[in-house]
Structure formats: C-alpha cells, structure tokens
Amino acid sequence: MSVSRRTVLASATGVVGVHALSQQTAAAVDAGAPAPATDRVLRDAADYAVAKLRVVAPGVSGFPVGTKFEKWVYSKNGDWVGGFWPGTLWMAYLHSGDEDFRTLALDSAQGLAPRRYDTSTHDLGFLFYPSWVTAWRLTGDAAWRDGAIRAADSLIQRYNPRGRFIRAWGALSDPGNAGRVIIDTMMNLDLLAFASRETGDGKYLDIAVEHAGTTQRVFPRPDGSTPHVYDFDPDSGAHVGPGTVQGYSPTSCWARGQAWGLYGFTTMYRRTGDRAFLTTARGLADFATGALTEDHVPVWDYRAPQQPYDVKDASAGAVMACGLLDLAAATGRREYRETALRLLTALARTCLTRRSARAEAVVARCTRNRPAEDGVEISLPYADYYLLEGIMRVLRPRDADRALDLSVVGGAS
C-alpha cells in the first residue's frame, strides 16, 4: 500500500511543534459550540467526574481494571487498561486546571515504565498513548516521548510479515494464538504513527498501515459490521476465518469492537490521508449508528439474540462518541457529530453513578466480557476515560488537541 508520509515525518523535524495548532487541526476542532442544553448536560457530567476523582484518586493504589460492588479492583502492572487511569486524570486536569490531577497523572503513568519493554501484548497503544504520549504533549519532558517510542519498538516486534498483521495475544515464543488478529488492535496503531513522527523513521507507520490494510480487507462485512476476531495461519499468512471471544458469535457484531474499529480507522485516515481508511470508518460508523436504539446506549452486541433488550455497554457508547466526533471533523458531515452528542448526552443522563454514594467510578452500565459472564453491568476505566475525552473534544477542543493531537492529513470528504 502506497501512502504519503510527508506530513507525518515533517512534524518529527519540528515543522509542527508539540503545542502548535496547525490550520488543519484548527479546522478539525472548530466545530462550533453545542446547543446550550447539551452544553449544560456535558459540563455537569465533567464536573461530576472531577468531583468524584478528587475524592477517589488520592486513595487509588494501582491501575483500576473494573469494579466489584462498586469499588475499583486494581492491577499492579496495568493489565491492558493501565493507560486509562492516568489518561482520565489528564482529562480532569485539563477540564479543571487542578494541578493535583497533573501530579497524580504523572505519578500513575510512571508506574507503567516497565511495560515499555513488554513484547507479550498488542495493547501498548492503550497503555502508552493516553498516559505517556499525553504526558509528553502536556509537559514537553522528552523522557515521556522516549518511553513511548520504546513501547512502539516493543509493539512492532509482534508484526507478522507473512500475514501483514500485528499479533494480538500471547508471548512471541508461544505458538498459541500466533495467527489471531482482533479489531481492538486498530486503536494501538496511533502509538506507531507517533513514533514515526517523532523519530523520522517510517518503519513504525509502515507496519501500522500494513496492519490496518489487512484489517480493512478481512474484518468489515458488506453491511459495515465486524467480527471481534480474524484468524490466520501464522506460518503462511493464509486466511482461516472470523471468530470471536467477547462477541456473541463469529457472525455477530460486538459493540465495543465496532467502536474500536470506527475510531481506529478514522485515526489511521488522519495520520496518513488514505481515503480508503476513511471510507472503511464511515461504513463501520453507519452500521453502528443504524443499530442504536432510542436510548442511545449500545447493547453489548448488536446481533445478540436478545438485542435490543440485552445488557448495555456504556463503554462502547463512549468510545463510539469519540470516534464519531473524529469522523465528523475528518469528513465535515454534521450527522456524525450530532449522533456523538446524543451518545454523550445519553451517557451523562442515564449512565453516571450519581445514585450511589459508594461508587468509585464515574460511568456505570458497562459490560466487559458477556460470553464469559465477566464484568456484566459494572464500571470500567475506559468508559470513564472516553466519556471525558469525548466531553473535552466538545467543550474544550483545543485542550483536547493539546493532549491527543487531533490534526488531520488531507481535507474533508
């Protein structure tokens, strides 16, 4: 796949600084203020999140992975979700200006330092973009940038050149799952784009583009839905076929996975200017928006037999809202932004933990892994993070850009 990397590599040479707002970025974030009623709902939700974090964050002793009886359960090394806690603290800092959140975010992110060298997982983007990349962008301390690049070096070791994909699970020496690709990995590719921008070395982005191209060829169905998993023969790269772990079946459509794909393909368009990625993102978005019910809180799987009356996954709604805001900026199509605002408003009105004095999380009504009966109707750290990211994109887009880099390669379509 031939993709122009001129803008990506130009920023590595100083053309686009850490805190600069390019004309393309300004256009992407200048979408106008929401209606006053929506503004009030979202601002109130962000204020609630900040108030909750002020109480809870000082006592957090690890990386939240989910709740049990409304209290956070922790991982010491971060599991795959460790980046979301410092990311949430960064969003709270940008919304409130409270320096305590900045200090807590840096302290938490530092706890991920050993994972820079972890070659056993594809989730290094989830771990290091909202934590270390954001720390670099907001502080200018090169140690955070260098650590994120080191994590990208670990991630590219999972690339299989025969199948042109990044392996999802398992140690490199473990033959189990060696040919397994999952839709979630689309969200880890931006770490590689970041590494190419900062080093001037296109190898990271080349691998990201190859993986995205493979995902683009095998995951989307004609109607825009996706499976969770696609398997390859790891030795030959031959296709085996679709599968699932967290969805209902290989032919269903796991809602959070669909959101990962929508957001990830839009990001790859923004980093490369390749309109094929934008077309794929729009297909996934159109399926997902068409599957939403009137309450705008996604069911955990759009094709599970009991949908639309099955259990909900608010985390899928939060991720989807961020992806749609991105897609609206990339395409200039207001309907994507309007749906994103309805999603964020629905989550703010119906999915916050306001009714519970003991709850430590911000967002309720999440589902982690329904087939395994693991974490059904709980809170999840990525729901809190993406809700705040989405609200920041709407209410304080230039601050969101400072943290995330919302720049776009190429114009609207």
Side-chain angles (χ1 to χ4, degrees):
M1 179 180 295
S2 176
V3 177
S4 171
R5 297 165 177 75
R6 179 177 56 190
T7 302
V8 172
L9 298 182
S11 66
T13 63
V15 175
V16 181
V18 172
H19 300 296
L21 188 67
S22 69
Q23 290 182 341
Q24 289 174 316
T25 303
V29 301
D30 188 16
T38 300
D39 183 282
R40 285 194 298 272
V41 170
L42 298 186
R43 199 170 299 277
D44 185 53
D47 289 345
Y48 172 74
V50 165
K52 174 72 70 176
L53 287 163
R54 280 201 179 103
V55 173
V56 173
V60 167
S61 59
F63 297 100
V65 296
T67 54
K68 185 175 183 180
F69 304 122
E70 299 183 282
K71 301 295 185 182
W72 285 124
V73 175
Y74 301 118
S75 164
K76 288 299 183 183
N77 76 349
D79 197 71
W80 72 271
V81 299
F84 296 121
W85 179 248
T88 299
L89 295 170
W90 280 124
M91 294 298 114
Y93 164 68
L94 289 173
H95 179 69
S96 67
D98 187 338
E99 289 289 329
D100 287 345
F101 287 128
R102 181 183 187 277
T103 299
L104 289 166
L106 291 170
D107 288 346
S108 177
Q110 188 59 47
L112 294 171
R115 302 295 299 277
R116 291 172 290 175
Y117 307 100
D118 187 352
T119 61
S120 69
T121 178
H122 72 121
D123 286 313
L124 292 165
F126 283 131
L127 288 168
F128 283 92
Y129 204 100
S131 56
W132 286 52
V133 172
T134 296
W136 151 243
R137 291 183 61 79
L138 295 182
T139 69
D141 184 342
W144 299 109
R145 177 196 61 202
D146 296 346
I149 293 168
R150 183 62 188 81
D153 285 324
S154 296
L155 179 56
I156 62 174
Q157 293 185 50
R158 299 184 65 76
Y159 180 65
N160 182 321
R162 294 175 295 280
R164 295 193 289 180
F165 62 80
I166 295 172
R167 171 183 177 171
W169 296 320
L172 296 178
S173 59
D174 181 0
N177 291 317
R180 179 146 282 196
V181 179
I182 62 175
I183 192 69
D184 318 39
T185 306
M186 289 299 304
M187 290 293 290
N188 292 309
L189 302 182
D190 204 18
L191 180 66
L192 302 182
F194 170 80
S196 278
R197 285 198 305 278
E198 294 302 321
T199 64
D201 188 339
K203 68 181 179 183
Y204 305 98
L205 186 61
D206 287 343
I207 288 174
V209 168
E210 290 295 342
H211 177 90
T214 298
T215 304
Q216 182 180 57
R217 287 189 291 274
V218 302
F219 275 81
R221 304 180 182 113
D223 64 358
S225 66
T226 58
H228 178 205
V229 170
Y230 199 93
D231 288 308
F232 294 84
D233 181 308
D235 297 320
S236 68
H239 295 200
V240 175
T244 197
V245 173
Q246 289 177 257
Y248 176 77
S249 76
T251 59
S252 72
C253 185
W254 177 47
R256 192 163 65 248
Q258 188 79 4
W260 294 140
L262 154 60
Y263 193 156
F265 275 111
T266 306
T267 299
M268 284 301 294
Y269 164 71
R270 289 198 294 107
R271 301 308 186 210
T272 65
D274 186 335
R275 292 184 180 275
F277 292 145
L278 187 65
T279 299
T280 298
R282 290 184 59 185
L284 269 61
D286 292 344
F287 176 86
T289 56
L292 289 172
T293 51
E294 289 185 3
D295 67 357
H296 277 78
V297 181
V299 294
W300 72 280
D301 190 303
Y302 294 123
R303 286 183 171 156
Q306 293 178 313
Q307 66 82 29
Y309 308 107
D310 211 331
V311 295
K312 298 289 190 173
D313 182 11
S315 74
V319 176
M320 181 178 171
C322 293
L324 288 172
L325 290 169
D326 231 2
L327 190 57
T331 62
R333 294 180 177 266
R334 293 190 60 84
E335 60 266 29
Y336 291 134
R337 180 175 171 84
E338 290 165 359
T339 302
L341 292 175
R342 286 194 290 271
L343 281 160
L344 291 172
T345 301
L347 297 179
R349 285 175 170 163
T350 69
C351 296
L352 300 190
T353 57
R354 294 181 186 274
R355 295 184 180 181
S356 173
R358 62 177 279 117
E360 293 185 338
V362 175
V363 181
R365 304 182 70 192
C366 300
T367 299
R368 182 163 49 205
N369 188 337
R370 181 76 166 93
E373 294 296 329
D374 172 25
V376 177
E377 294 284 353
I378 64 167
S379 294
L380 294 166
Y382 34 95
D384 287 10
Y385 171 76
Y386 285 108
L387 176 68
L388 279 176
E389 181 191 305
I391 291 173
M392 290 297 296
R393 283 172 173 266
V394 175
L395 299 183
R396 305 175 70 98
R398 279 169 170 71
D399 283 333
D401 175 69
R402 285 175 56 210
L404 304 170
D405 182 9
L406 304 181
S407 59
V408 180
V409 178
S413 171

